[in-house]
Amino acid sequence: MIKTFFLLFFLIISMNAQVYDIELTSGGYGMPGSNIYSQIFKKINNIDLSDIQGSAYNDSIYKTATFYYKDNQKIGECLSRFNTYTDEIEMMNLNGEIGVLKKVDFLKVNLNGKVFVVTNSADFKNGENGFFIEKVVNANCTLYFKESKSIKKGEPAKSGYHTATKSKYIDESNYYIKFETGGLDVMSTSKSKLLKQFPNQQDNLKTYISDNNIDLNKESDIIKLINYYNTLK
């Protein structure tokens, strides 16, 4: 239990405000359902997002998330949701107070069937750590999905004959691939550019895409393609 407390303390982020306790339940240490307490700092966001069209969340409802660290050791559970604009996993304690999870290497979060891992790519926020969703895990080639949104600023009316436009959320999600050596790269949805990302298997992949009518904008087909690539020598 002591080991778990300090591990959770290390994993939770400090965010410019007062400390409070957040209650996590664990089935991995001690008795099932026993409480684990960790101190986190209350999140403060001074940006007014109330007038922006759309939502920063693909799912705004808090749901039970399970947290794992190194070799999939379970360290706790907490009501959570993922903010696609800030790239944060927000956690709610029993008092309804909100905190955010620190992006620590080797951390995994299973939230609503999606497995988020902490990693980075030069193509995402200048190489900062972020939460990426595992889709295919293989030493040869791993496929990730990055849920991400930005804000497109609105424009005032140019004259009395024009209408002002509001700021709105824009989806900027992408698939990423990681080979056995090298970092994460955005997976192209252009067939010609995609094949160049797999220089040693261009002919095989070109044939597979054609024979199986692979749609590079369809997740199930992308997963099929990566799984096929991982069978090639």
Side-chain angles (χ1 to χ4, degrees), residues 3-4 6-8 10-12 29 66-76 101-110 116 118:
K3 175 184 176 182
T4 305
F6 284 107
L7 182 57
L8 283 169
F10 174 69
L11 290 177
I12 305 300
Y29 294 89
T66 306
F67 302 87
Y68 301 89
Y69 186 69
K70 280 189 177 180
D71 301 323
N72 291 321
Q73 57 175 312
K74 182 178 177 180
I75 58 174
L101 194 64
K102 188 174 182 179
K103 296 167 185 173
V104 179
D105 290 339
F106 308 112
L107 176 67
K108 285 190 177 184
V109 181
N110 190 324
F116 292 83
V118 176

Side-chain angles (χ1 to χ4, degrees), residues 15-146:
M15 291 291 292
N16 304 326
Q18 69 204 50
V19 176
Y20 62 83
D21 286 334
I22 187 163
E23 184 175 66
L24 304 177
T25 60
S26 172
Y29 294 89
M31 297 296 292
S34 61
N35 292 332
I36 300 173
Y37 292 90
S38 179
Q39 290 181 318
I40 68 174
F41 287 81
K42 190 173 182 179
K43 176 186 173 185
I44 290 181
N45 191 339
N46 294 319
I47 303 173
D48 182 11
L49 303 177
S50 61
D51 199 37
I52 299 175
Q53 291 182 331
S55 174
Y57 307 90
N58 289 335
D59 186 351
S60 62
I61 299 173
Y62 282 92
K63 297 178 180 177
T64 301
T66 306
F67 302 87
Y68 301 89
Y69 186 69
K70 280 189 177 180
D71 301 323
N72 291 321
Q73 57 175 312
K74 182 178 177 180
I75 58 174
E77 296 177 341
C78 185
L79 289 175
S80 305
R81 65 182 182 180
F82 180 65
N83 188 317
T84 57
Y85 173 64
T86 62
D87 190 47
E88 293 171 343
I89 290 180
E90 301 172 349
M91 308 163 67
M92 178 187 293
N93 73 356
L94 298 181
N95 296 321
E97 297 167 309
I98 308 301
V100 295
L101 194 64
K102 188 174 182 179
K103 296 167 185 173
V104 179
D105 290 339
F106 308 112
L107 176 67
K108 285 190 177 184
V109 181
N110 190 324
L111 174 57
N112 199 29
K114 299 177 181 178
V115 179
F116 292 83
V117 297
V118 176
T119 186
N120 58 72
S121 169
D123 297 303
F124 178 74
K125 292 189 176 181
N126 298 317
E128 295 178 9
N129 271 359
F131 289 107
F132 291 71
I133 301 170
E134 290 180 336
K135 292 296 179 178
V136 176
V137 179
N138 190 288
N140 194 24
C141 181
T142 295
L143 176 69
Y144 298 95
F145 183 63
K146 183 77 201 74

Side-chain angles (χ1 to χ4, degrees), residues 151-183:
I151 294 176
K152 182 179 179 180
K153 287 188 176 182
E155 296 182 357
K158 295 179 180 179
S159 69
Y161 298 99
H162 296 85
T163 303
T165 59
K166 289 187 175 182
S167 297
K168 62 180 180 180
Y169 288 102
I170 301 294
D171 182 44
E172 292 187 341
S173 301
N174 281 300
Y175 289 93
Y176 286 75
I177 49 177
K178 184 180 187 302
F179 296 103
E180 188 172 4
T181 58

